[in-house]
Amino acid sequence: MTEITESCGCVYRDSLQFVKKFLIANSNDFIFQSLIGLLAFIIVYKLFIGGRKNLPKRAKRSVGVSPASKGTGQPIDCVNPATGKSMGIINCLKPVEVKQCLESAKLAQSEWKSTSFDERRQIMQDFIDMFINNEKAIVEASMRDTGKTRFEATFGEILTSCEKLRYLIKHGEKALKTEKRIVPMLLGTKSARLEYHPLGSIGIIIPWNYPIHSIISAAAAAIFAGNAALVKVSEWSTHSKVLFEGLIREVLANRGHDPNLIQILPGMGETGEALVRSGVDKILFIGSPQTGKRVMKAASDNLTPVILELGGKDPMIVYDDIDIDWALAVVQRGCFINLGQNCISSERVFVHERIYDKFAQEMTKKIKSLKQGPPEEGHFDFGSMTMPAQVDKVDQLVQQTIKEGAKLLAGGMRHPSYPKGNFYMPTILGDVKPGMTIFQEEAFGPVCTLVKFSSEAELIEMANGTVFGLGCSILTSDLKRAERIGSQISTGMLTINDYGASYLVQDLPFGGCKESGFGRFNGPEGLRGFSREVSILTDKFPIRTPVPRLIRYPIDPNSVGIIRQAIFMIYQRGFFNKIRAACSFTSQVIRNPKLLL
Ligand SMILES: *[C@@H]1O[C@H](CO)[C@@H](O)[C@H](O)[C@H]1NC(C)=O
């Protein structure tokens, strides 16, 4: 070690000597002096002028207390789902308190909307620093709130959030840049453009599966587009909000912004409904189709626009031309990461008949060898599920499927060693068929259903045959086949030879079709979805476009004839038709020349 440092030191000293000699030898050369001068200017410009980026000096503000943590509604007992122990009580916000949150958010937004993209990027960078500096605390808060493992929390809360923020810093402004639009020849003296303006306040309702990432993912995009964000978190993962709210407020206040710009609202259905009806300018709802329909209904009273990200029953297609070991690794992640509590979980695994038996056997062997237990008590591959009622739902669905004729290959019950937590064992069901309940109903849990297929046509019909259309994965060495199959399945997202990777490609919008919802978050579309599009038409030159007598009141009886011929001249098919219309147009204009003035 000392040798390396010494030799480094030597090289460093030698280089310095070289530079010194070089400078002395050339100090009288005019061109050399000019070059040095130019270099110095560039350095100074970069450091002190170019680098300043127009960031106004703002005085720090006090972090204060969020109106969203002053709820006096029903108490939520925050329970660690892996241990069954209470972590404390947080009160729901009553509808009038939601209104107060919105008022303070509007106030914050009225200042924030005029910040530059440089200032917004500065906040995004501060958020990344916040994740890095508090990584352990954030991961552990998420683990306690959801029962997920440290691996899942690091992956799903930290990595995804940092990537989202990095994307916004690097590419967010491009998505919101004013666009030039085409004007028709008739309006040749005009210029058209489309601008993206802030909407105001965005109401966001998120589920419990990624309690921290879901907050920042939506809120960061909302504020990057110049809005305030009110995020209603699930009553099943409320506790991590306390830590996260404090961190976010600190970032905003330290840079002199109003910390009420992002608020995290605790509550149950009543609070969510109050947010939908509060008069926010747009709603992003992530959750079940049943609640999604209620949200849309409630939002229709104020005609508040909605983006709905609902459930899925995503197919994962495994062809026989791939390496089974590799496919097993992808499918295991697709079915069991976060214990399947993902809207894009691979809920139906279609395996080609030629490899079906081997695949089922190896998958079962692998899953049975993995460990499940309380994430805070050791290193486990799987933690607990989050919502107690979801464990019962998953179990009912599994038992029902067995009754309907499927084969239980692994799991199929609560973990016997941890009766206090929500531990449902990773479950594999073989011989699942399209008629079974589980083929249509979202499990949202650790259940892998294996479906055998032979022909491509049969596969497409089965894979496409649900009310959902969120994501779809296809594993095959034949990329042409993958594209061909993918194009015939109604889906919002298609991933070939991977699972879930598209979520890290933040430039791709996320969302589905059919009962999986509509509208998009992430990507340029996500940012524009949080914007009001303003279409602008103005003069291209400083000359006012004349209003000819032709279209002025009182309307001249000859106007209609001239306009008709103009229409025929431009839009009618056929060269001779156009010529005929042009002649007629000209003769009418010659008879009434004043109409064109
Ligand atoms: C897939 O399902 C949708 C409706 O859910 C249907 O409109 C479409 O035709 C189906 N595609 C194929 C190839 O059958």
Side-chain angles (χ1 to χ4, degrees), residues 468-540:
F468 295 107
L470 192 57
C472 170
S473 281
I474 306 178
L475 311 185
T476 171
S477 302
D478 184 347
L479 292 183
K480 274 207 190 107
R481 165 159 61 196
E483 299 278 355
R484 186 172 65 234
I485 294 171
S487 70
Q488 291 179 81
I489 294 172
S490 298
T491 183
M493 297 172 287
L494 172 67
T495 306
I496 294 169
N497 289 335
D498 213 327
Y499 164 77
S502 66
Y503 198 79
L504 275 184
V505 183
Q506 282 284 331
D507 204 28
L508 280 173
F510 185 99
C513 61
K514 304 203 266 186
E515 287 207 17
S516 293
F518 50 80
R520 294 292 182 261
F521 69 84
N522 290 354
E525 290 74 12
L527 283 167
R528 292 174 193 155
F530 287 156
S531 305
R532 178 162 50 89
E533 288 146 325
V534 187
S535 299
I536 298 171
L537 186 67
T538 180
D539 293 326
K540 195 185 285 181

Side-chain angles (χ1 to χ4, degrees), residues 37-221:
L38 189 66
L39 194 70
F41 174 75
I42 290 172
I43 291 172
V44 168
Y45 184 83
K46 274 272 173 225
L47 280 183
F48 301 106
I49 304 165
R52 219 195 288 145
K53 283 189 188 160
N54 286 331
L55 288 174
K57 265 242 155 302
R58 294 176 192 269
K60 272 192 188 190
R61 297 200 190 182
S62 100
V63 174
V65 180
S66 169
S69 32
K70 294 179 184 162
T72 60
Q74 219 178 319
I76 298 171
D77 184 11
C78 303
V79 172
N80 180 331
T83 61
K85 281 190 196 130
S86 173
M87 299 181 282
I89 301 279
I90 291 175
N91 290 329
C92 292
L93 287 164
K94 290 180 173 166
V96 303
E97 292 162 341
V98 172
K99 276 264 187 217
Q100 285 156 8
C101 291
L102 177 60
E103 288 316 311
S104 66
K106 276 185 175 167
L107 207 62
Q109 196 263 341
S110 65
E111 282 174 40
W112 174 259
K113 67 176 182 209
S114 40
T115 52
S116 66
F117 282 115
D118 281 327
E119 276 199 287
R120 294 179 198 170
R121 272 191 283 270
Q122 184 186 49
I123 291 296
M124 300 299 136
Q125 185 58 55
D126 289 354
F127 282 152
I128 294 184
D129 299 345
M130 167 190 89
F131 272 99
I132 300 298
N133 297 334
N134 301 279
E135 179 262 335
K136 197 155 179 270
I138 293 175
V139 162
E140 281 166 9
S142 165
M143 287 165 70
R144 280 193 300 271
D145 232 0
T146 61
K148 69 176 76 191
T149 63
R150 188 175 293 274
F151 166 76
E152 287 163 342
T154 307
F155 209 86
E157 309 278 25
I158 309 288
L159 175 63
T160 48
S161 302
C162 289
E163 181 52 25
K164 169 97 194 194
L165 294 161
R166 191 200 66 85
Y167 172 78
L168 291 174
I169 292 172
K170 206 94 179 102
H171 306 288
E173 186 176 355
K174 235 180 305 170
L176 298 174
K177 236 201 177 106
T178 299
E179 293 168 20
K180 252 189 108 51
R181 291 298 164 104
I182 297 159
V183 286
M185 216 173 40
L186 274 176
L187 292 169
T189 61
K190 305 273 187 192
S191 117
R193 65 179 197 273
L194 181 65
E195 288 186 358
Y196 296 98
H197 292 200
L199 269 171
S201 311
I202 312 290
I204 296 154
I205 301 178
I206 60 167
W208 37 262
N209 50 352
Y210 296 94
I212 287 170
H213 171 67
S214 301
I215 295 175
I216 201 69
S217 172

Side-chain angles (χ1 to χ4, degrees), residues 404-418:
E404 288 170 355
K407 225 189 268 166
L408 179 67
L409 302 176
M413 58 179 190
R414 287 169 176 273
H415 200 297
S417 312
Y418 309 105

